Amino acid sequence: MLIAVLLPLGLFLFPLWKITLEAPQYPTPLGMYIHINDFTDANPHDIKNINIMNHYVGMKYIPEAIPEFKIFPIGIIITTVIGLIIAFKGNYKWFLFWFILMMVLSAAGLYDFYLWEHDYGHDLDPKAIMKFTNPDGSIMGFQPPLFGSKDILNFTAHSYPQLGSLFLGLGIAGSFVAHLIGKKNHKKALRM
Amino acid sequence: MKNILKSMVALLSILVAFTSCNNTSNQNAGALSGSAAEKVYVNPGEHDEFYAFISGGFSGQLSVYGLPSGRLFKVIPVFSQDAEKAYGYNEETKPMLNTSHGFVPWDDSHHPDISQTNGVIDGRWVFINGNNTPRIAKIDLSTFETTEIIEVPNSAGNHSSSFVTENTEYVVAGTRFSVPIPQKDMPIKDYKGNFKGALSFISVDPEHGHMDIKFQLIMPGFDYDLSHPGRGKSHGWFFFSTYNTEEASTLMEVNASQNDKDFIAAVNWKKIEEYVNNGGGTMMAANYAHNVYDESTHTATSTMKKEVLTVNPLDVPGAVYLMPTPKSPHGCDVDPTGEYIVGSGKLSANLTVHSFTKMLAAIENESFAGDAYGIPIIDFEASLAGVVEQPGLGPLHTEFDGKGNAYTTFFISSEVVKWKLGTWEVVDRQPCYYSVGHLMIPGGNSQKPFGKYVVAMNKITKDRYLPTGPEVTQSAQLYDISGDKMELLLDFPTVGEPHYAAGCPADLIKPRSKKLFKLEENNHPYATKNEADTKVVREGKDVHVYMTTIRSHFSPDNIEGIKVGDKVYFHITNLEQDYDVPHGVSMIGANTSELLIMPGQTETFVWEPKQVGVWPFYCTDFCSALHQEMQGYVRVSAANSSTPLRWSLGEDIE
């Protein structure tokens, strides 16, 4: 359980997610890493160049900082502290509690990410230089995929989790395993 | 009768044999030409194996080619103004072309040579000489831009230049025309004994490459034609070919061709360097420009230097010797081991090869055949290593493949001849179209040649390409020299007359080639690093516009309050930080060129509006989908008007 609790701290070392944009004019694709507390360039100046591309269709600049960059790290620290207390004091039932807590928070985080992406891709400047419509006449959005790959005009966008997410996922899974092992041991102890 | 029959049969069989021979050779030619195409074909999107830097001759520039494709990538402006790149037109690079004669917008560029470390090409810089108004330029191979030019005083016809020593300690510049030193008003007929030839050793800072004339060796008044450094065992020496040892000053084609032998001058520069470092030499008043381009300010400055250290060869015993070499030698080329010095007596039927070892022995034994103005002349036989007998007519220049072979160009018989060092036997020859001058093997002027190709640079083209009126293209030819026999692969046109070239494997340079200039490292005094800081400042009649470009607009793009008679400086910073996104700019009626500004760079052009009106400017480089919209207006009012100075972007000026 201790290991499971500490694994999500890897989020402070490794990026959570990566969005990559490929196009013929970019033999080296543009890319952006999403960290728990930051956006960073995959290659120097990538975010600046993504912004320049996106302003043609009226997308907002990728912000220097978003509120989540403050909330998420605090959330991870709080859940880690809770997890540590559970690891030392709690039993397997509490392990399950932490597992569920983390699942809910992660899902909330993903939903938040989706909302941001949706807003980023759809809240377009009405004076956008180029306006595109879908076949049904509605205004085309430029939301990158939450997970997977998607063609957006001349770009192919890829969105995949990174090492940080793996640490988080392993931590969450680890807590569930800890719960199962704890439960098994508990039953064994009961039988004896 | 039997005999006749027999001989008939014999004759027939010989004929058949010959015919079949012809057939096979024809088939071979077909197969060969097919493989020649394959050998020079570089697939779309793939890169050439070698860079070749080919001098632009009377264009004054240096062009960059890929080998084996012969594709032209860039013409680097060096000694001539280039309106395409604003070189010599924008305020930043005008100082690059400053000389003691003022602004000289042209020169005749001759002999590029790439910097070396431990006798091997390192791909950091390429040096090239301006022949007419003597100058040496340094081009930085991380930006492919000319970053330094030093004028050479006491020199004229800067031709035996710009060759580097084994660790780029020096780039050497020798005078072709001897002149009065210092210059003075005197009768031309008093040339003999009074004119002198200056051989300049220009030190190169190992880190930044900054050039400085360490010393000038003031030699007798011969014509110093070409030069090459010693290497390996002969490192520390430099060799110069001479003609006009007759010291004639008129009808040179006859009067400078009378002596049976001229000289190759061997200069022990290490010895002179030591002499100079110990306080030797005479400081002499001079006036020459030293122009340095600073990559961080994107600006060149020109400084006039006022003195130069001169050395009389007689003051440094054992430093200079003369090796007799037949008939006005042109090329003076040192093999990769440093042992052989090949003199191409251009009016001689033979090639003369001197031995460095034998030269040292001759000096040791004082095997001298007299002296010229006190400089010992080594006995011809004493330093002679061998003679390549009758290889062709009009030998000019030799390079080496590092496998014991030498390749010499012959201007008159228009061919490249391959011969063996040591045995002096001719092993192959291939025609050139036409009248070849120099040739180049990548790394051929170093200890480590890459003996895969030779590029022959021709002086005459005639009918080789589609005609373009009386003036036809200049031309180079590529030969495969990887086998026993040379094979002509490709003709390709060149920019200006290709005098000489330098080449090296692309991998030496490619990884260091910059993609952009970092905006945060831009220290141009008029740089504007974001749109919020753009402004227009009036200082009397001078108006400074601090402008930026980013896809796809100028900031500001509306300017009012400019008056007739103003001198308007447009300082434009390209805010882009993406590879290959330059912006250009041009102003209607500006008496200068466009600007072509690389990402992160600041450049300046001057506009002096002469007419009242509203005058547009626009981006000249198709930068983006909205390139056509990248434009702006400047309102010019009468000289006595009171239109306030205002500027804006994205809103109407109130």
mmCIF file of all heavy atoms in Angstrom, chain B residues 3 9 11 50 56 225 244 470 503 554 645:
data_model
loop_
_atom_site.group_PDB
_atom_site.id
_atom_site.type_symbol
_atom_site.label_atom_id
_atom_site.label_comp_id
_atom_site.label_asym_id
_atom_site.label_seq_id
_atom_site.Cartn_x
_atom_site.Cartn_y
_atom_site.Cartn_z
ATOM 1 N N ASN B 3 48.422 -19.680 -98.344
ATOM 2 C CA ASN B 3 48.867 -18.617 -97.440
ATOM 3 C C ASN B 3 47.924 -17.427 -97.478
ATOM 4 O O ASN B 3 47.592 -16.857 -96.425
ATOM 5 C CB ASN B 3 50.274 -18.147 -97.826
ATOM 6 C CG ASN B 3 51.317 -19.091 -97.227
ATOM 7 O OD1 ASN B 3 50.973 -19.871 -96.340
ATOM 8 N ND2 ASN B 3 52.524 -19.009 -97.734
ATOM 9 N N VAL B 9 41.697 -15.417 -93.580
ATOM 10 C CA VAL B 9 40.967 -15.908 -92.398
ATOM 11 C C VAL B 9 41.442 -15.172 -91.134
ATOM 12 O O VAL B 9 40.646 -14.705 -90.317
ATOM 13 C CB VAL B 9 41.148 -17.439 -92.242
ATOM 14 C CG1 VAL B 9 40.633 -17.896 -90.873
ATOM 15 C CG2 VAL B 9 40.446 -18.164 -93.360
ATOM 16 N N LEU B 11 42.817 -12.281 -90.957
ATOM 17 C CA LEU B 11 42.375 -10.894 -91.009
ATOM 18 C C LEU B 11 40.908 -10.768 -90.595
ATOM 19 O O LEU B 11 40.531 -9.918 -89.790
ATOM 20 C CB LEU B 11 42.573 -10.349 -92.437
ATOM 21 C CG LEU B 11 42.361 -8.846 -92.611
ATOM 22 C CD1 LEU B 11 43.420 -8.073 -91.815
ATOM 23 C CD2 LEU B 11 42.428 -8.447 -94.066
ATOM 24 N N PHE B 50 27.935 15.190 -49.539
ATOM 25 C CA PHE B 50 28.969 16.216 -49.314
ATOM 26 C C PHE B 50 28.401 17.615 -49.535
ATOM 27 O O PHE B 50 27.510 17.811 -50.363
ATOM 28 C CB PHE B 50 30.140 16.036 -50.299
ATOM 29 C CG PHE B 50 30.932 14.784 -50.088
ATOM 30 C CD1 PHE B 50 30.675 13.655 -50.849
ATOM 31 C CD2 PHE B 50 31.950 14.740 -49.144
ATOM 32 C CE1 PHE B 50 31.405 12.491 -50.665
ATOM 33 C CE2 PHE B 50 32.687 13.576 -48.953
ATOM 34 C CZ PHE B 50 32.417 12.444 -49.717
ATOM 35 N N GLY B 56 32.532 32.100 -56.265
ATOM 36 C CA GLY B 56 31.708 32.742 -57.285
ATOM 37 C C GLY B 56 32.503 33.607 -58.238
ATOM 38 O O GLY B 56 31.918 34.300 -59.072
ATOM 39 N N ASP B 225 51.485 33.571 -56.872
ATOM 40 C CA ASP B 225 50.281 33.146 -57.583
ATOM 41 C C ASP B 225 49.348 32.296 -56.736
ATOM 42 O O ASP B 225 48.168 32.573 -56.633
ATOM 43 C CB ASP B 225 50.701 32.381 -58.841
ATOM 44 C CG ASP B 225 49.605 32.385 -59.879
ATOM 45 O OD1 ASP B 225 48.643 33.167 -59.712
ATOM 46 O OD2 ASP B 225 49.694 31.623 -60.857
ATOM 47 N N ASN B 244 56.691 35.873 -62.954
ATOM 48 C CA ASN B 244 57.296 37.205 -63.122
ATOM 49 C C ASN B 244 58.470 37.413 -62.170
ATOM 50 O O ASN B 244 58.628 38.479 -61.568
ATOM 51 C CB ASN B 244 56.258 38.316 -62.946
ATOM 52 C CG ASN B 244 56.784 39.666 -63.413
ATOM 53 O OD1 ASN B 244 57.678 39.714 -64.265
ATOM 54 N ND2 ASN B 244 56.272 40.734 -62.856
ATOM 55 N N PRO B 470 25.235 35.602 -75.803
ATOM 56 C CA PRO B 470 26.706 35.559 -75.792
ATOM 57 C C PRO B 470 27.264 35.123 -74.439
ATOM 58 O O PRO B 470 28.292 34.456 -74.379
ATOM 59 C CB PRO B 470 27.100 37.013 -76.085
ATOM 60 C CG PRO B 470 25.921 37.616 -76.756
ATOM 61 C CD PRO B 470 24.711 36.928 -76.190
ATOM 62 N N GLY B 503 35.330 21.218 -50.068
ATOM 63 C CA GLY B 503 34.212 20.329 -49.785
ATOM 64 C C GLY B 503 34.480 19.504 -48.552
ATOM 65 O O GLY B 503 35.637 19.332 -48.144
ATOM 66 N N PHE B 554 2.341 43.064 -39.561
ATOM 67 C CA PHE B 554 3.363 43.951 -39.000
ATOM 68 C C PHE B 554 2.734 44.649 -37.796
ATOM 69 O O PHE B 554 1.538 44.921 -37.781
ATOM 70 C CB PHE B 554 3.756 45.036 -40.008
ATOM 71 C CG PHE B 554 4.448 44.523 -41.226
ATOM 72 C CD1 PHE B 554 3.745 44.294 -42.406
ATOM 73 C CD2 PHE B 554 5.815 44.300 -41.216
ATOM 74 C CE1 PHE B 554 4.386 43.832 -43.538
ATOM 75 C CE2 PHE B 554 6.459 43.842 -42.357
ATOM 76 C CZ PHE B 554 5.744 43.604 -43.521
ATOM 77 N N LEU B 645 2.550 62.318 -34.617
ATOM 78 C CA LEU B 645 3.145 60.998 -34.820
ATOM 79 C C LEU B 645 2.298 59.959 -34.097
ATOM 80 O O LEU B 645 2.108 60.025 -32.881
ATOM 81 C CB LEU B 645 4.571 61.008 -34.249
ATOM 82 C CG LEU B 645 5.498 59.886 -34.695
ATOM 83 C CD1 LEU B 645 5.715 59.923 -36.194
ATOM 84 C CD2 LEU B 645 6.836 60.008 -33.971
#
